[in-house]
Structure formats: C-alpha cells, structure tokens
Amino acid sequence: MATQALAEDAVRERLRELPGWSLGEDGISRAYRLGSHFAATAMVVHIAQLQEELNHHSELTLGYNTVSLTVSTHDAGGAVTEKDIELARRVEAAAPGHGAN
Ligand SMILES: C[C@H](O)[C@H](O)[C@H]1CNC2=NC(N)=NC(=O)C2=N1
C-alpha cells in the first residue's frame, strides 16, 4: 500500500467516511467509549491484532472504559498516508462488535 503523504484535503475527504476520526498534528485520531474496562481492554487486543496484520501501528491508549488511538506513518516522516486510513477503516469495522461508540 502507498506510503506517500496525503495532502490535507485528501485526508479530510477520506475522514468524511470515518465519523469520529479527526486530523491533528500527530496524525488521525479517534476515541471510543466502551461498556467496561474489560471491554475496552478486549478492544485494545483486537486493535493490536489488526495492526499486526497491516504491519501498521498506532499510539494506542487504554483508559478506564475508553480506547484512544492516533496514527501516522513513520516511514513517511509522520505524514498521514493510505495505510493510516486503512487502519482506521479496519478499526471502525471492528468497533460495533465491541459495543464501542
Ligand atoms: C519495519 C516495519 O515494517 C516498519 O517499521 C512498520 C511498522 N509499523 C509502522 N507503523 C506506522 N504507524 N508507521 C510506519 O511507518 C510503520 N512501519
């Protein structure tokens, strides 16, 4: 998958299909709220699996009942690339199964 930096407007266009995701200085980010600490922990494990499958890894934070992630592409100097968008899409697809919102 391409690791060329996406222009800001291209990132924002893709984020239109990813409600809850935002663009910041460190990449694209999303925070999820779960029904319990255990549910949040289980989602973190699932995200780790998705990241390993994609070989693309976020900064992933587990709170009491929240999971937050921020991702950019190190190999592109911290820019946002299609790999970041693809990880976001895969996490979004997994979120409903965890009761995350
Ligand atoms: C060697 C390994 O494939 C690379 O370091 C991968 C690992 N995970 C990664 N994750 C992210 N976010 N960006 C990268 O450029 C990246 N590169």
Side-chain angles (χ1 to χ4, degrees), residues 23-87:
L23 175 61
E25 288 184 3
D26 298 324
I28 57 172
S29 299
R30 173 74 150 97
Y32 296 95
R33 186 167 299 281
L34 285 297
S36 69
H37 186 60
F38 185 77
T41 304
M43 185 173 181
V44 164
V45 173
H46 191 173
I47 291 170
Q49 177 188 8
L50 296 172
Q51 293 183 154
E52 283 296 291
E53 288 169 2
L54 196 57
N55 189 32
H56 204 70
H57 306 82
S58 68
E59 295 300 310
L60 188 52
T61 305
L62 171 64
Y64 163 61
N65 62 346
T66 58
V67 174
S68 303
L69 59 159
T70 297
V71 62
S72 61
T73 302
H74 313 149
D75 294 344
V80 176
T81 71
E82 291 291 3
K83 280 200 162 186
D84 304 305
I85 302 298
E86 178 58 21
L87 177 61

